[in-house]
């Protein structure tokens, strides 16, 4: 079972997420909290209580990214109703394991939780869209998208194609896992895909 803690200042949102995710056979919501202070207190009192934290970006007091920087040894999936590209980038740079907008379906949210738990960067389709705005438009073909990647991003894409997790990629490329998360999010955005699986298919075709 993947143990979850949900942190959101709106009780209705907490209860809704708990019902949706708790209905999954492999997910167990162990706590619902209203703010970052309550989360930090819980983690201090009961270390190891959670495998994945769903952390709202906009919280009273310290925001989600500030709280994220104080969390250790647990996966964190950032969550918000309305986000901007800079929000996604800031969260991933701070070490978030993924970013999901609340318009995601229950299945998409559950999949993001599982991906984060497995050490993969999880972006909902709408979060990926923020990084690649529709009005700007992606390059016209896969070749142009690939040419837009840096050398390091191509190395990361190759390893994604082999099914490696962020931790494995960090080890192979001798990088910090936080740095790998940023590279993965950039690869997804530049390729105009919303999942590691889609990126892996691009990597397979490219090779």
């Amino acid at each position: 079972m993947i143990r979850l803690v949900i942190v959101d200042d709106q009780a209705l949102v907490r209860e809704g997420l708990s019902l949706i995710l708790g209905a999954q056979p492999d997910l167990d919501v162990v706590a619902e909290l209203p703010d970052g202070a309550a989360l930090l207190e819980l983690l201090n009192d009961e270390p190891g209580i959670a495998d994945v934290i769903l952390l709202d970006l906009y919280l009273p007091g310290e925001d989600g990214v500030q709280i994220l920087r104080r969390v250790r040894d647990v996966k964190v999936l950032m969550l918000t109703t309305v986000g901007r590209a800079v929000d996604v980038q800031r969260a991933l740079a701070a070490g978030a394991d993924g970013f999901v907008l609340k318009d995601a379906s229950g299945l998409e949210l559950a999949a993001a939780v599982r991906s984060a738990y497995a050490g993969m960067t999880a972006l909902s389709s709408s979060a990926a869209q923020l990084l690649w705005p529709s009005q700007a438009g992606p390059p016209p073909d896969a070749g142009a998208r690939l040419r837009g990647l840096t050398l390091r991003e191509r190395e990361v894409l190759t390893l994604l194609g082999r099914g490696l997790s962020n931790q494995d990629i960090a080890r192979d490329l001798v990088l910090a896992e936080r740095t790998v998360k940023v590279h993965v999010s950039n690869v997804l955005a530049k390729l105009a895909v919303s999942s590691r699986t889609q990126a892996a298919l691009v990597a397979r075709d490219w090779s």
Side-chain angles (χ1 to χ4, degrees):
M1 294 288 285
I2 301 174
R3 297 164 300 159
L4 305 177
V5 170
I6 298 171
V7 186
D8 195 291
D9 61 323
Q10 298 183 43
L12 188 61
V13 172
R14 294 196 303 272
E15 292 169 6
L17 291 173
S18 182
L19 283 172
I20 291 169
L21 295 172
Q24 298 294 316
D26 58 334
L27 305 182
D28 179 25
V29 179
V30 298
E32 302 171 26
L33 305 172
D35 55 42
L39 171 64
L40 295 175
E41 182 178 356
L42 175 67
L43 296 178
N44 182 64
D45 293 343
E46 299 185 53
I49 188 174
D51 299 308
V52 179
I53 297 169
L54 271 71
L55 181 60
D56 188 30
L57 178 62
Y58 299 110
L59 290 170
E62 291 185 282
D63 72 10
V65 171
Q66 291 173 306
I67 295 297
L68 167 65
R69 293 192 176 105
R70 299 171 63 185
V71 173
R72 298 288 182 271
D73 303 321
V74 60
K75 305 296 185 182
V76 179
L77 194 60
M78 299 301 296
L79 191 68
T80 189
T81 302
V82 179
R84 302 166 298 167
V86 67
D87 294 327
V88 182
Q89 293 163 345
R90 186 166 69 101
L92 294 175
D97 296 279
F99 199 104
V100 177
L101 266 66
K102 293 175 186 175
D103 64 355
S105 68
L107 290 177
E108 188 175 19
L109 180 57
V113 169
R114 296 184 186 106
S115 293
Y117 177 70
M120 302 175 181
T121 301
L123 289 177
S124 68
S125 55
S126 51
Q129 184 68 19
L130 288 175
L131 294 175
W132 193 278
S134 58
Q135 61 266 29
D141 55 61
R145 298 176 191 179
L146 288 167
R147 288 191 294 274
L149 300 180
T150 66
L151 177 59
R152 181 64 83 187
E153 288 165 353
R154 292 188 185 195
E155 291 174 338
V156 169
L157 176 60
T158 297
L159 296 178
L160 284 176
R162 297 176 187 169
L164 271 63
S165 68
N166 288 350
Q167 187 175 19
D168 293 332
I169 294 172
R171 185 189 61 244
D172 283 12
L173 297 181
V174 195
L175 296 171
E177 189 172 349
R178 178 178 296 179
T179 302
V180 171
K181 292 175 185 176
V182 174
H183 284 314
V184 170
S185 67
N186 288 341
V187 167
L188 297 182
K190 289 182 179 181
L191 295 182
V193 297
S194 60
S195 73
R196 297 169 71 99
T197 300
Q198 291 173 317
L201 291 173
V202 172
R204 185 194 63 185
D205 294 340
W206 171 44
S207 58

